[in-house]
Amino acid sequence: MARQLDEQIVGRYPVGQRLRVLDVGMGQGTQALRLARAGHQVTGLERDATMVAAAREALSAEPEGIRERMRIIEGDGRDTGVHFLPGSFDVVLCHGVLMYVEEPDPLLAGLARMLAPGGLLSLLVRNADALAMRPGLAGDWAGALGAFDTTAYRNRLGLDVRADRLSTLTATLAGIGAPLQAWYGVRVFTDTAADDAGTPEDMEALLACEERAGRTDPYRGVAALLHLCGVRG
């Protein structure tokens, strides 16, 4: 997904331009820190105190120049209007958040307002059109049958959450003035794979396969996750 995001940034902004980035639901700050290291000015917004503490600890280990380019705010992504003025950011990330939000439309509308004209909105969501894949590949036929006609599922943490359909999000993005420009699949082949990819050569081969599949039909349509990129008009 990082490669996909970089592709969108490089294709939209001049090389070397320092962007204003907002990472909503940043977790432990993996993407936020990566972009700060790349020279961008990054704001991370996270409501979970444990994740905030982990992100701050990771940031404290970075060189001073990177620490100065990143700030962390404890808060809810649905309250971006409380913290920031409209049009304050060139890039807004919302990765792995929508599945925990029962009504995502107000959140997405608020994120779109944070974007400057031409700004990039990057979403990572669970793919509701492929919910039957994981139980089906595991031989859980009852679970697979039950997954075809729902957007609800139980994640690996044991939480009951929700997935999003590409068609629904495409319509939503158009409605909030940040129409979909590109979309990718994420975890096409690796959703049920072991965490240990083996040798570095194995990892490179895995990433090459995933990157190719994530931009190629019909593979991307059955990915566990979807990466959607909208652009503010």
Side-chain angles (χ1 to χ4, degrees), residues 23-75:
D23 188 353
V24 173
M26 69 169 180
Q28 60 188 9
T30 302
Q31 285 295 326
L33 275 171
R34 188 182 72 84
L35 291 169
R37 293 184 190 117
H40 304 301
Q41 193 73 37
V42 182
T43 300
L45 185 64
E46 173 60 55
R47 69 177 183 177
D48 186 283
T50 301
M51 290 294 185
V52 169
R56 286 180 172 151
E57 182 178 359
L59 181 60
S60 69
E62 296 289 330
E64 182 179 357
I66 295 174
R67 294 199 306 271
E68 291 175 347
R69 287 198 295 273
M70 182 170 165
R71 61 173 173 160
I72 298 171
I73 297 175
E74 190 167 347

Side-chain angles (χ1 to χ4, degrees), residues 63-144:
E64 182 179 357
I66 295 174
R67 294 199 306 271
E68 291 175 347
R69 287 198 295 273
M70 182 170 165
R71 61 173 173 160
I72 298 171
I73 297 175
E74 190 167 347
D76 195 300
R78 289 167 289 197
D79 298 327
T80 50
V82 174
H83 301 286
F84 316 110
L85 293 173
S88 295
F89 298 95
D90 304 301
V91 178
V92 173
L93 313 181
C94 185
H95 296 166
V97 174
L98 289 194
M99 56 274 291
Y100 299 103
V101 180
E102 188 173 345
E103 296 292 340
D105 287 8
L107 168 64
L108 291 172
L111 299 185
R113 284 193 291 271
M114 295 300 103
L115 285 169
L120 176 67
L121 176 61
S122 173
L123 307 175
L124 184 69
V125 304
R126 187 75 162 92
N127 183 9
D129 294 320
L131 284 181
M133 290 296 292
R134 184 184 294 172
L137 291 172
D140 175 8
W141 308 121

Side-chain angles (χ1 to χ4, degrees), residues 3 189 202-215:
R3 296 183 183 187
F189 301 125
D202 290 337
M203 175 61 80
E204 280 303 314
L206 179 155
L207 289 174
C209 286
E210 282 287 338
E211 188 171 8
R212 179 72 178 271
R215 65 178 68 248

